[in-house]
Amino acid sequence: AQSVTQLGSHVSVSEGALVLLRCNYSSSVPPYLFWYVQYPNQGLQLLLKYTTGATLVKGINGFEAEFKKSETSFHLTKPSAHMSDAAEYFCAVSGLSGGSYIPTFGRGTSLIVHP
Amino acid sequence: DVKVTQSSRYLVKRTGEKVFLECVQDMDHENMFWYRQDPGLGLRLIYFSYDVKMKEKGDIPEGYSVSREKKERFSLILESASTNQTSMYLCASRIGQGPRETQYFGPGTRLLVL
């Protein structure tokens, strides 16, 4: 069975500081990995995804994530946090089950950005 | 732009009532999903549908049923609402699967069962 673990339910950074949100996964090979963002009172939207190929994936709003197979990790980073980045972030893995790909989400990490 | 709409943003129901949550997508996607979102638990899959009239149970189907009579519409039904079903409900539609997939989410319905 596939699973996702997000380390830290809350991460607090100062504006301009590095953002690092951690995600570890358990999945059959190959893993298809996703990061979604949820702004207050909205649904989720896709930030970026890893499928195959380059292990460093660039997404929207300056975020990127690196797939590390040896560490079973897919951590999300941004060099410089903005106030507008304050949101809930979800890591997800999609794996094959009964002929369909089924997504499994982590518990989410709330990013707090201080001025 | 893909649009996924949910019939209500907020809903208040009484214990024992039958509740319908509607979700409509405008991009002809085959796959649609219902999740519930609870603080500290993330998103948990209730049901999904990979085509009209086709449905599969997710991780927490108990107390719920679904209906997909038309491709664009996926309904979640709470047969007899209970207080432990108070939650945020998110609908999503999906294009592609696995390496080609992207899910598009609706804004959510916050349901309070009294």
Side-chain angles (χ1 to χ4, degrees):
Chain A
Q2 62 191 23
S3 66
V4 173
T5 302
Q6 291 185 240
L7 301 175
S9 58
H10 295 82
V11 169
S12 181
V13 300
S14 298
E15 193 173 20
L18 172 72
V19 175
L20 171 60
L21 304 182
R22 300 178 187 271
C23 173
N24 288 89
Y25 68 91
S26 171
S27 174
S28 57
V29 176
Y32 302 120
L33 298 160
F34 306 79
W35 274 100
Y36 287 85
V37 60
Q38 184 181 33
Y39 297 105
N41 298 313
Q42 295 185 26
L44 280 68
Q45 60 180 274
L46 181 67
L47 264 182
L48 49 81
K49 62 181 174 181
Y50 169 77
T51 55
T52 56
T55 56
L56 184 62
V57 181
K58 294 189 183 300
I60 61 172
N61 301 336
F63 284 93
E64 60 184 34
E66 186 171 12
F67 169 63
K68 291 187 176 180
K69 185 177 179 180
S70 61
E71 299 177 8
T72 61
S73 69
F74 190 55
H75 301 332
L76 182 70
T77 60
K78 182 174 180 177
S80 176
H82 294 164
M83 296 296 291
S84 60
D85 294 327
E88 188 90 15
Y89 292 80
F90 293 92
C91 183
V93 62
S94 187
L96 198 58
S97 175
S100 294
Y101 279 88
I102 306 302
T104 299
F105 285 80
R107 297 191 174 200
T109 297
S110 179
L111 178 64
I112 302 159
V113 183
H114 298 288
Chain B
D1 275 355
V2 175
K3 193 161 187 180
V4 179
T5 57
Q6 296 184 230
S7 50
S8 305
R9 292 299 303 271
Y10 301 94
L11 212 50
V12 180
K13 296 292 181 180
R14 297 218 172 263
T15 301
E17 280 193 76
K18 191 168 186 175
V19 181
F20 293 86
L21 303 182
E22 303 282 338
C23 176
V24 177
Q25 51 101 356
D26 66 355
M27 282 302 291
D28 203 38
H29 291 167
E30 291 183 345
N31 298 169
M32 295 187 74
F33 301 81
W34 274 107
Y35 298 91
R36 65 177 281 175
Q37 180 180 10
D38 299 287
L41 297 179
L43 275 70
R44 293 179 291 167
L45 182 63
I46 305 172
Y47 269 96
F48 71 97
S49 169
Y50 49 90
D51 206 345
V52 175
K53 296 190 186 295
M54 308 301 281
K55 61 186 179 185
E56 292 288 341
K57 293 181 180 179
D59 298 321
I60 52 165
E62 297 78 18
Y64 304 94
S65 62
V66 291
S67 172
R68 189 144 181 227
E69 296 296 318
K70 294 184 177 181
K71 196 172 189 178
E72 67 270 20
R73 189 180 299 271
F74 191 35
S75 303
L76 180 69
I77 303 155
L78 286 65
E79 298 290 343
S80 178
S82 64
T83 55
N84 63 13
Q85 292 179 310
T86 290
S87 186
M88 168 73 93
Y89 290 88
L90 292 169
C91 173
S93 72
R94 180 174 72 178
I95 185 169
Q97 289 203 47
R100 292 176 297 279
E101 75 177 68
T102 298
Q103 288 193 77
Y104 297 88
F105 285 81
T109 295
R110 192 170 292 281
L111 173 67
L112 172 63
V113 183
L114 300 174

